[in-house]
Amino acid sequence: MKNGKAVTIRDVAKAAGVSVATVSSVLNNRSQTRISAETRERVLKVVKELGYRPRKVAQGLRKGLTYLIGLAIPLQPDQPLSPFFYEAVSGALKVAKERGWMVSILGFKDRDEELSILQKAVNQRLVDGVILFDPQENDPRFPVLKGNLPFVVIGRTDDPEICTVDNDNVEAAKLATQHLIRLGHKRIAFVHVPLSYFTAKDRLEGYKQALKEAGLPFRKELLVEADGYYGVEAGYRAMLSLLERLKERPTAVLAMDDTLALGCIQAAAEKGLKVPTDLAVVGFNGSAFSAHCEPPLTTVRIFAETLAYYAVDMLLRLVRGEVVAPSRVTVPTQLIVRKSCGTMR
Amino acid sequence: MKNGKAVTIRDVAKAAGVSVATVSSVLNNRSQTRISAETRERVLKVVKELGYRPRKVAQGLRKGLTYLIGLAIPLQPDQPLSPFFYEAVSGALKVAKERGWMVSILGFKDRDEELSILQKAVNQRLVDGVILFDPQENDPRFPVLKGNLPFVVIGRTDDPEICTVDNDNVEAAKLATQHLIRLGHKRIAFVHVPLSYFTAKDRLEGYKQALKEAGLPFRKELLVEADGYYGVEAGYRAMLSLLERLKERPTAVLAMDDTLALGCIQAAAEKGLKVPTDLAVVGFNGSAFSAHCEPPLTTVRIFAETLAYYAVDMLLRLVRGEVVAPSRVTVPTQLIVRKSCGTMR
DNA sequence: CTGAAAGCGCTTACAG
DNA sequence: CTGAAAGCGCTTACAG
């Protein structure tokens, strides 16, 4: 087939001396149509000889499918992607491949671009379904997609009709906070992204619950919203502003993400504070680098690959119209204790 | 259109009282067919009202295109992707979007899987073209693709017929080595991936040239091949074995990648060596984390986003049959001096 | 057990 | 200036 015209089902049919319908039936193992063993064998032989494989795009047009699922992922050239999404892509790819689907990255730099890309995906039927990340309250993406394109959200939503895959973020943050409390900390800061994100909301809730159960007061002044969503710089700025603002500084900080935690460590260093002796730090995600920074980061491991695996699995069932009841899957997290949180005070 | 059947070109034609051919001509601005201003306007109005957008997959079948380009990227769940690929995806997405193409990730865990995926891409016409990374000598991927599917390689090849986008890796490694020499180093180790990769070969060449021009001897014992391709662990093991093997230890090390460099720093620490005082370290890539590790890493910045941008641009021209002469594009690099290489000895 | 025909949603010569 | 027809490469009822 090198350099030649691509071989089509027609070529196979001609070479095998049967109709294209027969070739198709053999290849798809249609139960409706019984094919004699010898015909089937002849067809299969020719298929193998010619190296024929049905064109996905042609099957797709006929079946109304693109065999493509889209991952709506933030991609800023300057601000490199969080390892979280890397793992997610990897998990998505895994299921997709198993099921004969492909994964396309729907990259965007802000919410507006994301919305326009999703709208385009709907209009041009670019993909069969979409995976969405980081849901917010009144998420503007849902109305664009609802009823038009199947989608699954990684995270929590307030709309019970939407399929989601999420961690128990309340529990995760609670465990992390309890760990710090057990080490003797009483003033624990919390660095978070905007609370309109359910993930931030849930983790704040877990943080509060842990304090409450330990009989510690919740102090609003120990909360900081990172101004740049995620990222080292954002964490750095958040921690710096916190340290400058507070009369009595915190002895520990729980950061919503490893990159934010890294930024906190930098800010602390700049203020002459040593981690973990002067400031205990705990992050979220358990990204690869978290084990290799200085000091190694205590973190709540989020299994992004697993989240994405389940999400795509669910999405593919939606695409096939298999799921009726909206499902919500919960993936466990895991506290990884390293040096940055220190030991008993 | 919510929940209803998707609107097709037929619907538009009917609503506008014209033929589908006319709608298509209007939408594609065909120069062959002159359409009267009023017809065009009427069609455009209906298109807007109905929110019609031609289905990509249908256009594709007709034009023999998938409007999809594939990025063949290593993806091991356990070993998270290097930031290099992140940036590359981002660059690829940028051009693709500009030109109305989509990007699909062709993930694989080893060379065998990569080959089988590429073969599948050829047979099933999954994509219109492919971007390949990290070329080797006698690269087994080229024969699979050549003549069957357009492709562009990020890196250097020995086959002049293949389109490539690359850095001048000889020059880059030379500049980095010269910098270390200028700081007073005479025993500079080089941690590299297998030399069958052209990138490793070229960087070794630059390293050698710098030594030679400075009148320093090239010592084979200062070379180490990382056993795990890239990654912190691989760098750690490489450096450890080097330190244990050598009687007289190096005062500096050039690592082929930031993750390898990070591993070298860890190994050094374990052996009681301080970076940069006891050991100067220089990496490659300039990944985001390189500015935030301890100490901040001196590194040769590789602009993966730009590499991918040019590669996809070139690939799209190949797909359209525009490029005749095989092209090779070279993207500049940049030495970023931070703390890990230290100062004058 | 197998084939002829219709059709998925477009675009493109070709007529008129 | 515009439309009828063919066709991209498949799959799927439907005949026979």
Side-chain angles (χ1 to χ4, degrees):
Chain A
M1 66 177 294
K2 214 145 226 183
N3 281 314
K5 292 276 131 273
V7 14
T8 74
I9 196 170
R10 228 187 209 84
D11 302 323
V12 176
K14 200 186 294 177
V18 296
S19 72
V20 295
T22 302
V23 177
S24 176
S25 295
V26 169
L27 253 23
N28 293 300
N29 258 316
R30 300 195 72 216
S31 48
Q32 281 88 325
T33 34
R34 293 278 103 213
I35 306 280
S36 72
E38 67 174 330
T39 304
R40 128 172 281 105
E41 231 162 275
R42 188 150 34 96
V43 169
L44 254 20
K45 188 158 154 273
V46 174
V47 164
K48 185 165 251 173
E49 280 170 8
L50 268 46
Y52 171 73
R53 295 288 244 104
R55 218 77 87 247
K56 267 287 180 197
V57 63
Q59 295 184 313
L61 181 60
R62 176 64 229 230
K63 295 209 179 186
L65 251 28
T66 61
Y67 292 106
L68 224 46
I69 70 127
L71 263 52
I73 288 182
L75 267 185
Q76 287 123 314
D78 43 316
Q79 192 178 313
L81 194 50
S82 128
F84 175 88
F85 289 105
Y86 230 1
E87 294 181 39
V89 170
S90 164
L93 234 38
K94 211 163 152 181
V95 217
K97 198 187 290 178
E98 288 170 12
R99 311 274 210 284
W101 249 263
M102 297 181 77
V103 169
S104 172
I105 305 294
L106 272 24
F108 56 86
K109 48 181 188 306
D110 53 37
R111 192 34 68 87
D112 278 352
E113 201 185 359
E114 182 177 14
L115 289 175
S116 81
I117 286 172
L118 292 175
Q119 188 60 62
K120 207 163 96 178
V122 167
N123 291 340
Q124 304 184 241
R125 292 288 187 286
L126 257 23
V127 295
D128 296 326
V130 176
I131 302 290
L132 259 28
F133 293 86
D134 252 337
Q136 280 182 289
E137 275 173 344
N138 300 315
D139 202 300
R141 298 170 295 180
F142 300 167
V144 173
L145 262 18
K146 237 178 163 176
N148 295 323
L149 197 61
F151 66 102
V152 171
V153 173
I154 294 191
R156 186 165 73 81
T157 67
D158 42 9
D159 182 340
E161 286 186 4
I162 292 176
C163 290
T164 63
V165 180
D166 197 13
N167 305 113
D168 186 341
N169 280 302
V170 177
E171 186 65 16
K174 189 171 168 181
L175 287 174
T177 310
Q178 284 175 334
H179 182 73
L180 287 168
I181 294 172
R182 225 175 297 122
L183 294 177
H185 294 280
K186 293 188 186 343
R187 289 183 66 79
I188 304 170
F190 181 54
V191 178
H192 59 85
V193 298
L195 293 172
S196 59
Y197 291 97
F198 283 106
T199 308
K201 214 172 176 179
D202 289 353
R203 290 184 187 168
L204 174 60
E205 176 59 26
Y207 163 87
K208 281 182 178 172
Q209 284 186 11
L211 292 180
K212 191 171 185 186
E213 291 183 12
L216 292 173
F218 165 67
R219 298 179 199 279
K220 208 163 180 198
E221 80 236 42
L222 290 174
L223 262 44
V224 221
E225 182 177 310
D227 58 353
Y229 193 39
Y230 289 105
V232 179
E233 318 291 338
Y236 171 83
R237 286 191 300 265
M239 195 65 208
L240 215 55
S241 81
L242 188 73
L243 291 173
E244 283 167 0
R245 188 177 82 203
L246 257 35
K247 279 149 288 178
E248 193 186 346
R249 64 169 187 78
T251 62
V253 56
L254 178 63
M256 263 203 59
D257 168 69
D258 292 338
T259 62
L260 291 174
L262 209 55
C264 291
I265 293 178
Q266 284 193 357
E270 191 164 309
K271 287 289 181 182
L273 300 176
K274 286 214 166 47
V275 174
T277 22
D278 301 323
L279 184 74
V281 177
V282 176
F284 269 87
N285 270 1
S287 339
F289 76 81
S290 66
H292 303 295
C293 49
E294 188 42 45
L297 206 59
T298 293
T299 183
V300 181
R301 177 86 176 110
I302 300 293
F303 297 93
E305 208 206 348
T306 310
L307 287 168
Y309 187 96
Y310 285 129
V312 172
D313 180 76
M314 198 183 277
L315 183 60
L316 256 20
R317 290 208 304 270
L318 281 177
V319 168
R320 295 205 206 90
E322 281 179 29
V323 178
V324 246
S327 351
R328 348 210 94 206
V329 171
T330 302
V331 173
T333 58
Q334 184 187 355
L335 180 66
I336 304 177
V337 178
R338 298 208 188 91
K339 290 196 182 151
S340 70
C341 65
T343 51
M344 209 61 146
R345 290 165 72 81
Chain B
M1 68 175 296
K2 215 144 220 181
N3 280 313
K5 292 276 131 275
V7 14
T8 73
I9 196 169
R10 229 188 207 83
D11 302 323
V12 177
K14 200 186 291 176
V18 296
S19 74
V20 295
T22 302
V23 176
S24 177
S25 294
V26 168
L27 254 23
N28 293 300
N29 258 316
R30 300 195 72 216
S31 48
Q32 281 89 327
T33 34
R34 293 278 102 212
I35 307 279
S36 72
E38 67 174 331
T39 305
R40 128 172 282 105
E41 231 163 274
R42 187 150 35 96
V43 169
L44 254 21
K45 189 160 154 271
V46 174
V47 164
K48 186 165 251 177
E49 282 171 6
L50 267 47
Y52 170 73
R53 295 288 244 105
R55 217 78 85 248
K56 266 286 180 200
V57 63
Q59 296 183 311
L61 181 58
R62 176 61 229 231
K63 296 210 180 185
L65 251 27
T66 61
Y67 291 105
L68 225 45
I69 70 128
L71 263 51
I73 288 182
L75 268 184
Q76 287 122 313
D78 44 316
Q79 191 179 316
L81 194 48
S82 128
F84 175 89
F85 289 105
Y86 232 178
E87 295 181 38
V89 170
S90 165
L93 232 40
K94 212 163 151 182
V95 216
K97 199 188 289 177
E98 289 171 10
R99 312 274 211 280
W101 249 261
M102 297 182 78
V103 169
S104 172
I105 304 296
L106 272 25
F108 55 86
K109 47 180 190 305
D110 53 36
R111 192 36 67 87
D112 278 351
E113 202 186 357
E114 182 177 15
L115 290 176
S116 82
I117 286 172
L118 292 175
Q119 188 60 62
K120 207 164 94 177
V122 167
N123 290 341
Q124 302 185 241
R125 293 287 186 283
L126 256 23
V127 294
D128 296 327
V130 176
I131 302 290
L132 259 28
F133 294 86
D134 253 335
Q136 281 182 286
E137 276 173 345
N138 300 315
D139 202 301
R141 298 170 295 180
F142 300 167
V144 174
L145 261 20
K146 235 176 163 179
N148 295 323
L149 197 61
F151 67 103
V152 171
V153 174
I154 293 191
R156 186 165 72 82
T157 67
D158 42 9
D159 182 339
E161 287 187 1
I162 292 177
C163 290
T164 62
V165 180
D166 197 14
N167 305 112
D168 185 341
N169 280 303
V170 177
E171 186 65 14
K174 190 171 168 183
L175 288 175
T177 310
Q178 284 174 333
H179 183 73
L180 287 169
I181 294 173
R182 225 175 297 122
L183 294 177
H185 294 280
K186 293 188 186 343
R187 289 184 66 81
I188 304 171
F190 181 55
V191 179
H192 58 86
V193 297
L195 294 172
S196 59
Y197 291 98
F198 284 106
T199 308
K201 215 172 174 178
D202 289 354
R203 291 184 185 168
L204 174 60
E205 176 59 25
Y207 164 85
K208 280 182 179 172
Q209 284 186 12
L211 292 180
K212 191 170 184 186
E213 291 182 14
L216 292 172
F218 166 67
R219 298 178 198 278
K220 209 162 179 201
E221 80 235 42
L222 290 174
L223 262 44
V224 221
E225 181 177 312
D227 59 352
Y229 192 39
Y230 289 106
V232 179
E233 319 291 338
Y236 172 82
R237 287 191 300 264
M239 195 65 208
L240 216 54
S241 82
L242 188 74
L243 290 173
E244 284 168 359
R245 190 178 79 203
L246 257 35
K247 279 150 287 177
E248 191 187 346
R249 64 168 188 80
T251 62
V253 55
L254 178 63
M256 262 204 59
D257 169 68
D258 292 339
T259 61
L260 292 174
L262 210 56
C264 290
I265 293 178
Q266 284 193 358
E270 193 165 309
K271 287 289 180 182
L273 300 176
K274 285 212 167 47
V275 173
T277 23
D278 301 324
L279 184 74
V281 177
V282 176
F284 268 88
N285 271 1
S287 339
F289 76 82
S290 66
H292 304 294
C293 50
E294 192 38 48
L297 206 58
T298 293
T299 182
V300 181
R301 177 86 175 109
I302 300 293
F303 297 94
E305 209 206 347
T306 310
L307 287 168
Y309 188 96
Y310 286 128
V312 172
D313 180 75
M314 196 182 278
L315 182 60
L316 255 22
R317 290 208 306 268
L318 280 177
V319 168
R320 294 204 207 90
E322 279 179 33
V323 178
V324 247
S327 350
R328 349 210 94 206
V329 171
T330 302
V331 174
T333 58
Q334 184 187 355
L335 180 67
I336 303 177
V337 178
R338 299 208 188 92
K339 290 195 182 151
S340 71
C341 65
T343 50
M344 209 61 147
R345 291 165 70 83

